[in-house]
PDB file of all heavy atoms in Angstrom:
ATOM      1  N   GLY N   8    -117.930  63.680  14.760  1.00  0.00           N
ATOM      2  CA  GLY N   8    -119.251  63.877  15.393  1.00  0.00           C
ATOM      3  C   GLY N   8    -120.082  62.609  15.435  1.00  0.00           C
ATOM      4  O   GLY N   8    -119.616  61.475  15.632  1.00  0.00           O
ATOM      5  N   GLU N   9    -121.324  62.800  15.193  1.00  0.00           N
ATOM      6  CA  GLU N   9    -122.379  61.759  15.356  1.00  0.00           C
ATOM      7  C   GLU N   9    -122.132  60.606  14.422  1.00  0.00           C
ATOM      8  O   GLU N   9    -122.332  59.403  14.752  1.00  0.00           O
ATOM      9  CB  GLU N   9    -123.755  62.372  15.162  1.00  0.00           C
ATOM     10  CG  GLU N   9    -124.907  61.510  15.455  1.00  0.00           C
ATOM     11  CD  GLU N   9    -124.720  60.703  16.760  1.00  0.00           C
ATOM     12  OE1 GLU N   9    -124.351  61.309  17.790  1.00  0.00           O
ATOM     13  OE2 GLU N   9    -125.002  59.435  16.766  1.00  0.00           O
ATOM     14  N   GLY N  10    -121.721  60.859  13.221  1.00  0.00           N
ATOM     15  CA  GLY N  10    -121.344  59.808  12.285  1.00  0.00           C
ATOM     16  C   GLY N  10    -122.524  59.215  11.497  1.00  0.00           C
ATOM     17  O   GLY N  10    -122.485  58.067  11.107  1.00  0.00           O
ATOM     18  N   THR N  11    -123.543  60.028  11.230  1.00  0.00           N
ATOM     19  CA  THR N  11    -124.650  59.426  10.442  1.00  0.00           C
ATOM     20  C   THR N  11    -124.250  59.181   8.980  1.00  0.00           C
ATOM     21  O   THR N  11    -124.714  58.186   8.379  1.00  0.00           O
ATOM     22  CB  THR N  11    -125.925  60.296  10.492  1.00  0.00           C
ATOM     23  OG1 THR N  11    -125.611  61.535   9.792  1.00  0.00           O
ATOM     24  CG2 THR N  11    -126.424  60.561  11.863  1.00  0.00           C
ATOM     25  N   ASN N  12    -123.348  59.943   8.440  1.00  0.00           N
ATOM     26  CA  ASN N  12    -122.849  59.703   7.158  1.00  0.00           C
ATOM     27  C   ASN N  12    -122.003  58.405   7.090  1.00  0.00           C
ATOM     28  O   ASN N  12    -122.132  57.594   6.190  1.00  0.00           O
ATOM     29  CB  ASN N  12    -122.011  60.833   6.603  1.00  0.00           C
ATOM     30  CG  ASN N  12    -122.860  62.024   6.054  1.00  0.00           C
ATOM     31  OD1 ASN N  12    -123.387  61.896   5.030  1.00  0.00           O
ATOM     32  ND2 ASN N  12    -122.974  63.058   6.839  1.00  0.00           N
ATOM     33  N   PHE N  13    -121.197  58.241   8.130  1.00  0.00           N
ATOM     34  CA  PHE N  13    -120.373  57.040   8.254  1.00  0.00           C
ATOM     35  C   PHE N  13    -121.296  55.847   8.392  1.00  0.00           C
ATOM     36  O   PHE N  13    -121.128  54.786   7.745  1.00  0.00           O
ATOM     37  CB  PHE N  13    -119.520  57.217   9.511  1.00  0.00           C
ATOM     38  CG  PHE N  13    -118.768  56.019   9.974  1.00  0.00           C
ATOM     39  CD1 PHE N  13    -117.931  55.351   9.167  1.00  0.00           C
ATOM     40  CD2 PHE N  13    -118.889  55.569  11.301  1.00  0.00           C
ATOM     41  CE1 PHE N  13    -117.242  54.195   9.575  1.00  0.00           C
ATOM     42  CE2 PHE N  13    -118.192  54.429  11.725  1.00  0.00           C
ATOM     43  CZ  PHE N  13    -117.386  53.764  10.862  1.00  0.00           C
ATOM     44  N   ALA N  85    -116.086  62.809   6.702  1.00  0.00           N
ATOM     45  CA  ALA N  85    -117.514  62.755   6.895  1.00  0.00           C
ATOM     46  C   ALA N  85    -117.853  63.438   8.224  1.00  0.00           C
ATOM     47  O   ALA N  85    -118.025  62.736   9.273  1.00  0.00           O
ATOM     48  CB  ALA N  85    -118.002  61.339   6.814  1.00  0.00           C
ATOM     49  N   GLY N  86    -117.887  64.766   8.288  1.00  0.00           N
ATOM     50  CA  GLY N  86    -118.089  65.449   9.504  1.00  0.00           C
ATOM     51  C   GLY N  86    -116.775  65.566  10.291  1.00  0.00           C
ATOM     52  O   GLY N  86    -116.718  65.549  11.502  1.00  0.00           O
ATOM     53  N   TRP N  87    -115.671  65.807   9.565  1.00  0.00           N
ATOM     54  CA  TRP N  87    -114.335  66.001  10.148  1.00  0.00           C
ATOM     55  C   TRP N  87    -114.185  67.473  10.398  1.00  0.00           C
ATOM     56  O   TRP N  87    -114.197  68.246   9.473  1.00  0.00           O
ATOM     57  CB  TRP N  87    -113.278  65.460   9.206  1.00  0.00           C
ATOM     58  CG  TRP N  87    -111.853  65.691   9.725  1.00  0.00           C
ATOM     59  CD1 TRP N  87    -110.954  66.517   9.218  1.00  0.00           C
ATOM     60  CD2 TRP N  87    -111.225  64.910  10.763  1.00  0.00           C
ATOM     61  NE1 TRP N  87    -109.729  66.412   9.901  1.00  0.00           N
ATOM     62  CE2 TRP N  87    -109.870  65.484  10.850  1.00  0.00           C
ATOM     63  CE3 TRP N  87    -111.535  63.963  11.636  1.00  0.00           C
ATOM     64  CZ2 TRP N  87    -108.937  65.006  11.759  1.00  0.00           C
ATOM     65  CZ3 TRP N  87    -110.652  63.509  12.588  1.00  0.00           C
ATOM     66  CH2 TRP N  87    -109.355  64.006  12.653  1.00  0.00           C
ATOM     67  N   MET N  88    -114.062  67.883  11.709  1.00  0.00           N
ATOM     68  CA  MET N  88    -114.133  69.286  12.036  1.00  0.00           C
ATOM     69  C   MET N  88    -112.778  69.885  12.281  1.00  0.00           C
ATOM     70  O   MET N  88    -112.626  70.859  12.994  1.00  0.00           O
ATOM     71  CB  MET N  88    -115.089  69.507  13.226  1.00  0.00           C
ATOM     72  CG  MET N  88    -116.491  69.028  12.976  1.00  0.00           C
ATOM     73  SD  MET N  88    -117.218  69.570  11.382  1.00  0.00           S
ATOM     74  CE  MET N  88    -118.069  71.057  11.933  1.00  0.00           C
ATOM     75  N   ASN N 105    -114.522  65.595   0.899  1.00  0.00           N
ATOM     76  CA  ASN N 105    -115.148  66.128   2.112  1.00  0.00           C
ATOM     77  C   ASN N 105    -116.624  66.440   1.829  1.00  0.00           C
ATOM     78  O   ASN N 105    -116.953  66.848   0.725  1.00  0.00           O
ATOM     79  CB  ASN N 105    -114.446  67.452   2.485  1.00  0.00           C
ATOM     80  CG  ASN N 105    -115.070  68.110   3.660  1.00  0.00           C
ATOM     81  OD1 ASN N 105    -115.283  67.525   4.704  1.00  0.00           O
ATOM     82  ND2 ASN N 105    -115.359  69.430   3.554  1.00  0.00           N
ATOM     83  N   ILE N 106    -117.466  66.220   2.857  1.00  0.00           N
ATOM     84  CA  ILE N 106    -118.844  66.629   2.659  1.00  0.00           C
ATOM     85  C   ILE N 106    -119.120  67.816   3.550  1.00  0.00           C
ATOM     86  O   ILE N 106    -118.622  67.932   4.694  1.00  0.00           O
ATOM     87  CB  ILE N 106    -119.858  65.469   2.983  1.00  0.00           C
ATOM     88  CG1 ILE N 106    -121.229  65.894   2.696  1.00  0.00           C
ATOM     89  CG2 ILE N 106    -119.715  64.975   4.404  1.00  0.00           C
ATOM     90  CD1 ILE N 106    -122.179  64.799   2.193  1.00  0.00           C
ATOM     91  N   HIS N 107    -119.846  68.771   2.923  1.00  0.00           N
ATOM     92  CA  HIS N 107    -120.047  70.082   3.621  1.00  0.00           C
ATOM     93  C   HIS N 107    -121.506  70.442   3.468  1.00  0.00           C
ATOM     94  O   HIS N 107    -122.119  70.333   2.417  1.00  0.00           O
ATOM     95  CB  HIS N 107    -119.154  71.100   2.962  1.00  0.00           C
ATOM     96  CG  HIS N 107    -119.259  72.426   3.641  1.00  0.00           C
ATOM     97  ND1 HIS N 107    -118.633  72.728   4.813  1.00  0.00           N
ATOM     98  CD2 HIS N 107    -119.936  73.571   3.294  1.00  0.00           C
ATOM     99  CE1 HIS N 107    -118.929  73.966   5.215  1.00  0.00           C
ATOM    100  NE2 HIS N 107    -119.731  74.504   4.244  1.00  0.00           N
ATOM    101  N   PRO N 108    -122.136  71.002   4.583  1.00  0.00           N
ATOM    102  CA  PRO N 108    -123.598  71.248   4.512  1.00  0.00           C
ATOM    103  C   PRO N 108    -123.950  72.619   3.943  1.00  0.00           C
ATOM    104  O   PRO N 108    -124.687  73.412   4.604  1.00  0.00           O
ATOM    105  CB  PRO N 108    -123.984  71.144   6.030  1.00  0.00           C
ATOM    106  CG  PRO N 108    -122.780  71.613   6.773  1.00  0.00           C
ATOM    107  CD  PRO N 108    -121.608  71.204   5.879  1.00  0.00           C
ATOM    108  N   GLY N 116    -116.889  77.043   5.953  1.00  0.00           N
ATOM    109  CA  GLY N 116    -116.638  77.085   7.448  1.00  0.00           C
ATOM    110  C   GLY N 116    -117.576  76.258   8.246  1.00  0.00           C
ATOM    111  O   GLY N 116    -118.410  75.514   7.682  1.00  0.00           O
ATOM    112  N   ASP N 143    -112.673  74.186   2.497  1.00  0.00           N
ATOM    113  CA  ASP N 143    -113.916  74.010   1.787  1.00  0.00           C
ATOM    114  C   ASP N 143    -113.853  74.516   0.321  1.00  0.00           C
ATOM    115  O   ASP N 143    -114.741  75.121  -0.216  1.00  0.00           O
ATOM    116  CB  ASP N 143    -115.060  74.762   2.497  1.00  0.00           C
ATOM    117  CG  ASP N 143    -115.377  74.091   3.876  1.00  0.00           C
ATOM    118  OD1 ASP N 143    -115.139  72.878   4.005  1.00  0.00           O
ATOM    119  OD2 ASP N 143    -115.799  74.805   4.746  1.00  0.00           O
ATOM    120  N   GLN N 169    -129.102  66.465   5.867  1.00  0.00           N
ATOM    121  CA  GLN N 169    -128.403  65.195   6.072  1.00  0.00           C
ATOM    122  C   GLN N 169    -129.033  64.026   5.238  1.00  0.00           C
ATOM    123  O   GLN N 169    -128.325  63.151   4.811  1.00  0.00           O
ATOM    124  CB  GLN N 169    -128.389  64.792   7.569  1.00  0.00           C
ATOM    125  CG  GLN N 169    -127.380  65.607   8.306  1.00  0.00           C
ATOM    126  CD  GLN N 169    -126.750  64.944   9.509  1.00  0.00           C
ATOM    127  OE1 GLN N 169    -127.413  64.076  10.156  1.00  0.00           O
ATOM    128  NE2 GLN N 169    -125.540  65.224   9.842  1.00  0.00           N
ATOM    129  N   GLU N 172    -127.277  64.416   2.176  1.00  0.00           N
ATOM    130  CA  GLU N 172    -125.881  64.008   2.307  1.00  0.00           C
ATOM    131  C   GLU N 172    -125.757  62.506   2.176  1.00  0.00           C
ATOM    132  O   GLU N 172    -124.776  62.024   1.608  1.00  0.00           O
ATOM    133  CB  GLU N 172    -125.341  64.479   3.672  1.00  0.00           C
ATOM    134  CG  GLU N 172    -125.156  65.948   3.774  1.00  0.00           C
ATOM    135  CD  GLU N 172    -124.445  66.356   5.088  1.00  0.00           C
ATOM    136  OE1 GLU N 172    -124.396  65.628   6.027  1.00  0.00           O
ATOM    137  OE2 GLU N 172    -124.018  67.552   5.117  1.00  0.00           O
TER     138      GLU N 172
HETATM  139  C1  GAR T 201    -122.542  66.786   8.225  1.00  0.00           C
HETATM  140  O1  GAR T 201    -123.703  67.602   8.075  1.00  0.00           O
HETATM  141  C2  GAR T 201    -121.440  67.394   7.426  1.00  0.00           C
HETATM  142  O2  GAR T 201    -121.830  67.998   6.294  1.00  0.00           O
HETATM  143  C3  GAR T 201    -120.819  68.380   8.371  1.00  0.00           C
HETATM  144  O3  GAR T 201    -120.890  67.719   9.614  1.00  0.00           O
HETATM  145  C4  GAR T 201    -122.017  66.845   9.662  1.00  0.00           C
HETATM  146  C5  GAR T 201    -121.632  65.521  10.195  1.00  0.00           C
HETATM  147  O4  GAR T 201    -122.703  64.757  10.383  1.00  0.00           O
HETATM  148  N1  GAR T 201    -119.478  68.709   8.004  1.00  0.00           N
HETATM  149  C6  GAR T 201    -118.976  69.935   8.180  1.00  0.00           C
HETATM  150  O5  GAR T 201    -119.640  70.864   8.662  1.00  0.00           O
HETATM  151  C7  GAR T 201    -117.552  70.116   7.728  1.00  0.00           C
HETATM  152  N2  GAR T 201    -117.263  71.468   7.583  1.00  0.00           N
HETATM  153  P1  GAR T 201    -122.580  63.206  10.773  1.00  0.00           P
HETATM  154  O6  GAR T 201    -121.496  63.143  11.859  1.00  0.00           O
HETATM  155  O7  GAR T 201    -123.919  62.810  11.317  1.00  0.00           O
HETATM  156  O8  GAR T 201    -122.195  62.410   9.541  1.00  0.00           O
END
Side-chain angles (χ1 to χ4, degrees):
E9 187 46 45
T11 65
N12 280 285
F13 171 55
W87 178 251
M88 301 312 266
N105 178 50
I106 186 148
H107 183 77
D143 294 331
Q169 284 210 330
E172 290 189 342

